Amino acid sequence: MQSYESLPDNKGHFEEFGGKFVPETLMAALEELEQAYKQSKGDKSFKEELDYLLADFAGRPTPLYFAKRLSDKYGAKIYLKREDLVHTGAHKLNNCLGQALLAKKMKKKRIIAETGAGQHGVATATVAALFGMQCQIYMGEEDIARQQPNVERMKLLGAKVIAVTSGSKTLKDAMNEAIRDWVTNVTTTHYLIGSVAGPHPYPMMVRDFQVVIGLETKQQIVEKENKMPTHIIACVGGGSNAIGIFYPFLNSSTGTARRARTKLFGIEAAGLGLDSGKHGAPLARGNKGILHGSLSYVIEDDFGQITEAHSISAGLDYPGVGPEHSYFKEKGLVTYDSVTDAEALNGFETLSKTEGIIPALESSHAVAYLEKLKMAKDDLVIVNLSGRGDKDLDIVKKAGLK
Amino acid sequence: MSRIEAAFTKANQENRACIIIYYPVGYPDYENSVVALKAIAKVADIVEVGIPFSDPLADGPTIQQASQQALSLGINTQKALEAVKEIRDECKTPLVAMTYYNLFYRYGLEKFVSDANKAGLDGVIIPDLPPEEADSWLNIAKNKLETVFLAAPTSVDNRLKQICRISQGFIYAVSVTGVTGERTNLPANLADFIKKIKSITDKKVAVGFGISTPDQVSELANISHGIIIGSAIIKQMKNAVSFDEGLNNLIKLILRFKKKGSHS
Ligand SMILES: Cc1ncc(COP(=O)(O)O)c(C=O)c1O
């Protein structure tokens, strides 16, 4: 067996997962992107420019915050990795800055992206403004309605927001339309995918741009506690914030019994319940299949037609998941579990009222998992707080929280 | 000689381009689609049987909408193969399925190849299966179904060579950098692109994506061995007030394509 560290292989596979299942028209662009990315990876000036932007524009490093009242409530030591404090309000900007620099390098003047919650759309519109690039964001009609504040922000930042009316009118369909735009405008346009999904090299590249979360966390927890965490929890939509924080801890998660082991928990959206058929949990209830350019777990019917996902959180309302997560699941490197809409709302309220931090509904899934996790007094738990919840106030009010 | 190659040879003997027509199973509904496909198979040289998929990345609005309608009425891969068998029982026209890889993957590659073979399918076109990912499929489909690969205007030379080497039946030359759907103008450098493919391979080349008018067909007939038309055909059905009128109009259009497809 290959080590996870050597993956993906040179064709973009995480064993059977991943790959490049896209129309021939895009193959040259994926190759160009991979080459540009590989060159940049070893390029000192690229790294310096990215580090500078991550620090002075995005506000990194983000704090690792000891949540005292939350710790008291659950009876273990709990820290929050504060990605909600990244400029624009979520971890999405980490990846957008990296890809925008690549787009500049490839001399692409136009950027397109899909967005669900609108956080990735806002982050993309932000980097487009920063670099003076044209920007078009695809967003499902249903998500436009439920994430209005982010739509307004994208427009203020100079992006054009296109309402997608096909299919389920959510993230999956926004991604279809973005890919169709890319197929049409591939020579002038960079497609800035917002998660570790899509064809190779995206899952690898987006992971690498998000790993900064985990690297900072590792250094910070050692400084503060002088030991490794026992548990890390993150929500999984496409899986970028989760893989970003997990990746540097995978070593210790596979360590022998004598070494400190960090258990990693990826939390999918159980929506109205896994048995209701209305959820966003392909790792829990999906099959292996091909969606949006890669082989991974997907939610589909008996004949391979992709079915609609459901989650109260637009960012987790997606029937697919990044291929590397499918690989981690298969190898048992990460534990995947899920949290319902109702439980996530509880998490939202709990964090708001015990710590004075309003989390995104996506991140609330990770927070809510504290209710389910069996913890001991000596445990050291880190929750990745992937984003802030201002965008979700309408949804939460409608759901009955006061 | 395979049935697909024979169709190109026959069209060439009749001094015209091979006319390949795409039509999706299940549109406007299953029964009528079988009637339409049978009628199309009687006039077209090759029929591309579209199997609707929920997320057709390479397709424009016309095929997307037809697919969604067919899916909402319950079309699936198994029914699509039943349709193939019904058409095959009535004619010898080559039948090539066009759909996305997930449908084959879910059905089971071996089971699909075996069932499709029994139903009388000749080949497949899978727009989201580039050569890099095609090994498992090709190993199983070998000698049972021909696999047509697509070449795009953005394909670099070594990719074009690989595509020409492994494509079976013909090479599908994608005319535009874009998705399927009617275009008023075809790219200026299309002739060069087709010539380039012909300089690499002796296999037949058929051009598709965006072709919608008899004039375009007439222009391409001297450049390309085959011409593929889809969205413009579906439009005839969509715009008609009844199924009979739609079928009548689309068959008339195919006959005009055949006529305009004469070599000059
Ligand atoms: C705050 C926040 N967290 C998480 C996600 C889910 O994405 P991923 O799983 O790639 O981190 C989103 C997506 O919109 C988001 O906005």
Side-chain angles (χ1 to χ4, degrees):
Chain A
M1 182 190 129
Q2 277 174 300
S3 155
Y4 74 90
E5 285 166 297
S6 62
L7 298 176
D9 64 19
N10 59 12
K11 281 184 162 181
H13 292 136
F14 304 89
E15 295 195 346
E16 70 184 298
F17 301 107
K20 294 182 188 180
F21 295 87
V22 295
E24 174 61 26
T25 307
L26 295 179
M27 291 301 284
L30 292 176
E31 181 65 25
E32 180 192 10
L33 179 60
E34 189 178 346
Q35 290 314 321
Y37 175 62
K38 278 189 178 150
Q39 277 172 17
S40 307
K41 225 181 151 178
D43 177 5
K44 202 160 151 259
S45 69
F46 183 91
K47 191 177 177 320
E48 278 169 7
E49 194 172 358
L50 181 56
D51 285 349
Y52 161 74
L53 289 169
L54 285 172
D56 286 13
F57 186 72
R60 304 206 70 91
T62 58
L64 182 69
Y65 165 70
F66 173 56
K68 176 151 188 326
R69 295 193 61 213
L70 203 62
S71 299
D72 290 346
K73 178 174 162 69
Y74 289 109
K77 236 175 177 179
I78 300 171
Y79 279 84
L80 304 175
K81 179 60 175 166
R82 298 290 308 273
E83 292 300 296
D84 60 316
L85 294 178
V86 177
H87 176 43
T88 72
H91 68 292
K92 298 285 179 185
L93 190 66
N94 305 330
N95 165 48
C96 289
L97 284 169
Q99 285 199 47
L101 282 178
L102 279 181
K104 193 174 92 175
K105 208 176 145 111
M106 294 184 293
K107 305 203 164 34
K108 307 269 172 158
K109 298 218 157 36
R110 181 172 176 266
I111 289 189
I112 56 169
E114 81 295 337
T115 196
Q119 286 303 128
H120 175 58
V122 167
T124 303
T126 299
V127 296
L130 180 66
F131 289 97
M133 293 165 177
Q134 217 188 319
C135 180
Q136 191 150 308
I137 305 292
Y138 290 91
M139 188 167 186
E141 209 172 44
E142 185 178 320
D143 291 338
I144 287 186
R146 62 176 161 169
Q147 306 273 238
Q148 259 305 311
N150 276 341
V151 177
E152 298 306 324
R153 290 165 82 197
M154 285 184 263
K155 287 183 183 160
L156 282 170
L157 291 160
K160 192 165 167 198
V161 181
I162 308 282
V164 175
T165 56
S166 55
S168 56
K169 305 178 176 58
T170 59
L171 184 53
K172 163 181 90 93
D173 309 279
M175 194 149 176
N176 287 339
E177 275 313 307
I179 293 174
R180 290 185 188 115
D181 178 318
W182 202 33
V183 169
T184 309
N185 300 297
V186 62
T187 49
T188 59
T189 298
H190 174 63
Y191 178 19
L192 208 165
I193 294 185
S195 193
V196 286
H200 181 66
Y202 286 98
M204 165 183 83
M205 184 175 71
V206 176
R207 174 196 75 198
D208 293 352
F209 286 139
Q210 290 293 3
V211 150
V212 64
I213 305 173
L215 292 174
E216 284 176 11
T217 303
K218 203 166 187 174
Q219 194 181 343
Q220 290 165 323
I221 197 69
V222 170
E223 277 167 16
K224 287 173 198 285
E225 296 285 342
N226 199 25
K227 61 178 185 186
M228 285 293 128
T230 53
H231 305 76
I232 299 179
I233 311 171
C235 68
V236 176
S240 67
N241 86 86
I243 219 161
I245 195 165
F246 291 165
Y247 208 71
F249 292 92
L250 278 163
N251 259 327
S252 48
S253 78
T254 54
T256 53
R258 276 162 157 253
R259 282 175 52 194
R261 285 171 52 116
T262 303
K263 295 197 183 80
L264 306 172
F265 295 85
I267 309 303
E268 296 187 295
L272 302 181
L274 289 180
D275 295 327
S276 70
K278 289 188 172 298
H279 59 77
L283 291 168
R285 288 296 166 91
N287 305 293
K288 291 172 194 170
I290 294 109
L291 175 65
H292 295 150
S294 59
L295 201 163
S296 192
Y297 278 88
V298 298
I299 310 176
E300 61 181 11
D301 72 10
D302 291 348
F303 287 96
Q305 305 291 347
I306 307 300
T307 44
E308 289 181 21
H310 165 85
S311 171
I312 192 168
S313 129
L316 307 184
D317 195 348
Y318 182 61
V321 64
E324 196 165 10
H325 283 289
S326 293
Y327 169 80
F328 289 163
K329 174 189 151 88
E330 214 78 345
K331 297 291 169 200
L333 294 176
V334 174
T335 304
Y336 294 94
D337 207 331
S338 60
V339 150
T340 63
D341 287 354
E343 289 165 336
L345 281 166
N346 259 328
F348 182 96
E349 190 174 20
T350 301
L351 194 66
S352 301
K353 298 209 162 123
T354 55
E355 293 289 346
I357 298 170
I358 301 177
L361 277 173
E362 290 78 17
S363 324
S364 300
H365 285 70
V367 174
Y369 196 66
L370 290 168
E371 288 284 339
K372 295 187 162 178
L373 188 66
K374 287 192 185 65
M375 288 173 277
K377 202 167 111 311
D378 292 338
D379 282 343
L380 184 53
V381 181
I382 298 176
V383 176
N384 196 19
L385 206 63
S386 56
R388 62 190 228 191
D390 311 43
K391 68 183 176 65
D392 294 319
L393 299 186
D394 264 3
I395 303 176
V396 167
K397 251 196 313 206
K398 273 192 199 120
L401 279 197
K402 289 181 203 83
Chain B
M1 197 190 301
S2 78
R3 241 186 325 229
I4 296 174
E5 286 166 67
F8 277 91
T9 306
K10 177 167 166 285
N12 192 44
Q13 280 163 357
E14 291 172 11
N15 215 11
R16 57 180 181 80
C18 182
I19 299 296
I20 303 170
I21 300 296
Y22 171 95
Y23 193 87
V25 192
Y27 183 75
D29 56 59
Y30 178 79
E31 269 76 31
N32 279 321
S33 73
V34 174
V35 173
L37 280 158
K38 281 179 180 171
I40 293 168
K42 291 205 174 91
V43 289
D45 295 306
I46 297 174
V47 181
E48 259 183 46
V49 181
I51 309 179
F53 177 53
S54 53
D55 297 83
L57 292 179
D59 288 304
T62 305
I63 294 180
Q64 279 175 48
Q65 280 156 19
S67 300
Q68 265 184 20
Q69 179 171 332
L71 287 170
S72 71
L73 295 174
I75 197 66
N76 61 41
T77 316
Q78 195 179 321
K79 278 192 174 161
L81 288 177
E82 284 165 22
V84 166
K85 177 151 190 343
E86 283 197 58
I87 308 161
R88 176 55 70 230
D89 285 345
E90 286 193 7
C91 70
K92 295 202 153 46
T93 312
L95 304 173
V96 182
M98 176 148 177
T99 193
Y100 293 80
Y101 193 49
N102 195 46
L103 296 195
F104 301 137
Y105 187 83
R106 178 64 206 246
Y107 198 92
L109 302 185
E110 282 180 47
K111 183 164 165 12
F112 181 85
V113 169
S114 156
D115 288 358
N117 201 245
K118 275 184 228 146
L121 193 72
D122 296 282
V124 295
I125 301 168
I126 315 173
D128 62 345
L129 190 71
E132 281 86 341
E133 301 290 351
D135 286 353
S136 334
W137 166 260
L138 288 174
N139 276 333
I140 291 165
K142 194 169 54 192
N143 303 328
K144 296 209 177 74
L145 289 176
E146 296 190 87
T147 305
V148 178
F149 283 85
L150 297 90
T154 51
S155 306
V156 293
D157 287 2
N158 61 358
R159 294 194 60 83
L160 279 183
K161 282 184 193 142
Q162 186 189 16
I163 289 160
C164 289
R165 193 176 63 244
I166 66 175
S167 193
Q168 298 158 345
F170 59 95
I171 320 291
Y172 192 134
V174 177
S175 67
V176 292
T177 304
V179 294
T180 60
E182 316 90 289
R183 309 284 202 285
T184 25
N185 296 308
L186 294 174
N189 50 4
L190 181 55
D192 292 340
F193 175 51
I194 296 169
K195 270 187 212 144
K196 188 167 169 186
I197 299 176
K198 282 178 162 177
S199 75
I200 297 172
T201 181
D202 291 331
K203 292 177 187 169
K204 302 297 184 211
V205 180
V207 60
F209 278 42
I211 298 157
S212 53
T213 67
D215 284 347
Q216 289 169 336
V217 169
S218 150
E219 191 186 319
L220 291 169
N222 292 318
I223 307 169
S224 184
H225 303 116
I227 298 167
I228 305 164
I229 305 120
S231 297
I233 300 294
I234 297 171
K235 267 276 169 70
Q236 300 299 317
M237 185 59 76
K238 193 182 166 194
N239 294 341
V241 294
S242 68
F243 172 75
D244 289 344
E245 182 194 311
L247 182 58
N248 198 19
N249 288 349
L250 76 80
I251 295 294
K252 270 200 278 196
L253 185 61
I254 297 171
L255 291 172
R256 279 187 71 202
F257 286 148
K258 268 179 100 173
K259 202 157 158 227
K260 285 286 206 165
S262 298
H263 296 147
S264 58

